[in-house]
Amino acid sequence: MKILIADDDTISRRLLEKTLEREGYEVVAVDNGRSALEQLSLPDGPRLALLDWMMPGMDGPGVCAEIREQKGRPYIHVVLVTSRGAKRDIVAGLEAGADDYLTKPWDPAELTARLRVGQRILQLEDRLVEARETMRFKASHDPLTSLFNRGVIVDLLSRELSRTRREKGCTIVMLGDLDQFKNINDTYGHAAGDEVLRETAKRLLASVRSYDLVGRYGGEEFLIVLNNCDSGQAMLRAEEVRNGIESHPVQTKRGPLPITMSLGVLASDDWNLHLVEEALSEADAALYRAKTDGRNCVRIAKPIARHEVPQETAK
């Protein structure tokens, strides 16, 4: 494990360095507080630090305080090394952000034991962060496809529409539905259906830009949100998505299964919509037209087209 030693005393620093190298640490040694802060602020900087209390440029407690002000970084376990033994000094160091302290002259066995404690704390910290991120992912993503779940993708769409209105831009909304998906489940079983859904998610992500949004809207329906798009590109982009889905059969344990998708598409600058529910309703109406027009096609939601739909088709 990488460890930082910061001590302006050359002999003390060399002694610490040799001791820790024998213990298997990758040692980074500096002779002042400013250099220590720079090393600890690097993206791949040490996670363990031994800081002398008194150093030129910035003392050990000052380095601790600066480190603790940094947000969004992995935790750094800091041990202050000091000849000060008064309780008030120890308390001041701990309050500055140090995790532990070691008094001079230090004992090699005590030093390595305290560092092992620091390593265990860092391991526990990493596990907690991993568990928190796992819980966050599960709360926001569909467990089968790993796409955004319905609640999150609808919320993201709402935010995107609000931003688009403010900036007078355009967001393209696509609501896609796998054609005849019930037949896949009924004929080949739900396990094969799950394979199809997972592969569909991969193809959708491959058909859009890295900063576009894709979510599972429900069942075999998917919601795609394209940011900062020209409305004139809506049909072209939707056809790219549709072609990506039908490009080749999905390889499942029951054999290859061809799939297609129908899409209803809405460009926000064609409409004066203020609620996300309105945008979804219009995209859903366009998707319904795609289904009734033979499936595996794209239909654009236009205000004039909405009113021209024959009564019997609109049912």
Side-chain angles (χ1 to χ4, degrees):
M1 190 174 191
K2 190 182 291 187
I3 185 170
L4 174 78
I5 297 171
D7 195 330
D8 61 327
D9 183 87
T10 304
I11 296 176
S12 179
R13 187 173 66 252
R14 292 280 176 80
L15 185 57
L16 278 170
E17 191 172 353
K18 295 299 181 184
T19 300
L20 295 176
E21 284 177 346
R22 284 196 300 269
E23 292 295 325
Y25 289 97
E26 179 186 345
V27 179
V28 178
V30 297
D31 61 2
N32 64 83
R34 289 292 176 189
S35 296
L37 183 60
E38 289 174 5
Q39 288 294 325
L40 295 173
S41 300
L42 294 173
D44 61 343
R47 300 280 305 280
L48 276 173
L50 280 171
L51 304 180
D52 190 34
W53 187 295
M54 298 298 297
M55 291 185 291
M58 180 181 291
D59 62 13
V63 175
C64 288
E66 289 287 336
I67 291 170
R68 300 309 180 215
E69 286 295 319
Q70 297 176 357
K71 306 299 182 184
R73 291 178 50 83
Y75 192 79
I76 299 172
H77 187 86
V78 178
V79 180
L80 280 177
V81 183
T82 177
S83 57
R84 302 183 177 191
K87 292 294 183 183
R88 63 177 180 274
D89 293 325
I90 294 170
V91 170
L94 295 174
E95 287 184 343
D99 299 284
D100 202 352
Y101 70 94
L102 194 64
T103 55
K104 297 180 179 180
W106 45 267
D107 177 74
E110 181 184 6
L111 169 64
T112 55
R114 287 180 182 271
L115 291 178
R116 281 196 294 270
V117 170
Q119 283 185 265
R120 290 198 296 270
I121 290 172
L122 289 176
Q123 288 168 356
L124 289 171
E125 170 75 13
D126 290 345
R127 289 174 190 165
L128 286 172
V129 170
E130 184 179 356
R132 182 187 64 199
E133 292 304 313
T134 298
M135 291 176 63
R136 181 181 299 171
F137 185 88
K138 288 181 176 179
S140 60
H141 290 72
D142 173 61
L144 179 64
T145 63
S146 295
L147 298 176
F148 288 122
N149 62 31
R150 178 175 180 136
V152 171
I153 190 64
V154 170
D155 181 63
L156 291 172
L157 171 58
S158 178
R159 294 168 186 266
E160 183 60 24
L161 290 174
S162 296
R163 185 191 65 78
T164 297
R165 284 196 300 271
R166 286 196 310 272
E167 299 177 4
K168 295 180 171 36
C170 178
T171 295
I172 293 177
V173 183
M174 300 184 190
L175 195 58
D177 184 80
L178 285 174
D179 298 322
Q180 307 289 5
F181 182 73
K182 184 177 183 300
N183 290 344
I184 293 177
N185 278 335
D186 292 345
T187 305
Y188 301 98
H190 287 277
D194 288 348
E195 291 181 82
V196 167
L197 291 171
R198 283 192 289 265
E199 178 61 22
T200 298
K202 292 178 183 177
R203 295 184 188 186
L204 289 175
L205 290 172
S207 299
V208 300
R209 302 163 299 184
S210 59
Y211 50 87
D212 291 325
L213 308 170
V214 182
R216 188 179 179 190
Y217 191 63
E220 63 271 24
E221 284 191 318
F222 297 86
L223 180 59
I224 304 141
V225 181
L226 306 185
N227 308 294
N228 299 317
C229 275
D230 186 337
S231 61
Q233 296 292 309
M235 177 61 79
L236 175 63
R237 298 297 303 278
E239 282 293 339
E240 289 174 352
V241 171
R242 189 189 62 77
N243 286 328
I245 294 298
E246 74 161 349
S247 58
H248 53 276
V250 177
Q251 299 299 322
T252 72
K253 293 179 180 178
R254 298 294 302 275
L257 300 178
I259 59 171
T260 60
M261 176 175 280
S262 301
L263 292 115
V265 181
L266 175 143
S268 65
D269 62 353
D270 290 337
W271 298 80
N272 184 27
L273 302 174
H274 294 279
L275 297 176
V276 66
E277 292 82 5
E278 294 175 321
L280 290 171
S281 175
E282 297 299 343
D284 187 57
L287 172 60
Y288 182 78
R289 291 200 300 275
K291 289 289 189 181
T292 58
D293 288 348
R295 301 185 178 89
N296 191 26
C297 61
V298 177
R299 292 295 178 264
I300 304 292
K302 294 282 188 180
I304 187 169
R306 178 68 162 158
H307 294 103
E308 288 179 352
V309 176
Q311 189 67 32
E312 63 272 17
T313 305
K315 290 181 180 178

